Amino acid sequence: MSAFNPPRGRVLIVDDQPEILTGMQALLEAEGIDVTTHDSMITLPLILRQANPDLILLDLSFGALSGESFFRMGRERMLKKTDAMVILFSGLPLGQLAAKAEELGAD
């Protein structure tokens, strides 16, 4: 009898830095997780529908349309259409990131 292996889920990583996308993807795929990466906020709504992620890792410090802006829009529009959990990350110091996440109403 084989051991139970729970499903690993689907993760969408959103960042504008290729080295971050590549590194995070490699770490998660090594654990057997299905990973989609994306580097554009403009086409993110389409990718959300296509990837149907269980978890979204979203960079707050993102070029022209920031992850913060997307998160504000997304909570009201796109993220209501998915059950995906969203984890915000950033190069900000941890205290600033926590304050920003609380301001945005992140879980």
Side-chain angles (χ1 to χ4, degrees):
M1 180 182 235
S2 64
F4 174 71
N5 291 316
R8 296 290 187 164
R10 295 173 306 278
V11 175
L12 172 62
I13 307 169
V14 184
D15 197 314
D16 58 345
Q17 296 182 35
E19 61 276 5
I20 299 291
L21 292 174
T22 302
M24 292 176 85
Q25 181 176 16
L27 287 170
L28 293 171
E29 286 180 343
E31 295 297 321
I33 297 170
D34 181 22
V35 177
T36 300
T37 61
H38 195 64
D39 64 358
S40 171
M41 289 291 179
I42 295 169
T43 55
L44 186 54
L46 174 64
I47 296 302
L48 275 172
R49 286 191 300 274
Q50 291 174 347
N52 191 25
D54 300 304
L55 173 66
I56 302 167
L57 300 175
L58 178 63
D59 178 18
L60 275 182
S61 305
F62 205 105
L65 177 60
S66 70
E68 178 180 340
S69 298
F70 176 79
F71 187 77
R72 288 180 195 272
M73 288 185 327
R75 278 187 78 86
E76 297 169 8
R77 293 183 193 160
M78 291 160 274
L79 296 179
K80 284 186 179 176
K81 297 176 184 174
T82 179
D83 292 330
M85 176 185 286
V86 179
I87 295 177
L88 305 173
F89 68 95
S90 173
L92 293 171
L94 186 56
Q96 288 180 1
L97 177 59
K100 182 60 71 177
E102 184 176 341
E103 174 190 325
L104 292 170
D107 297 325

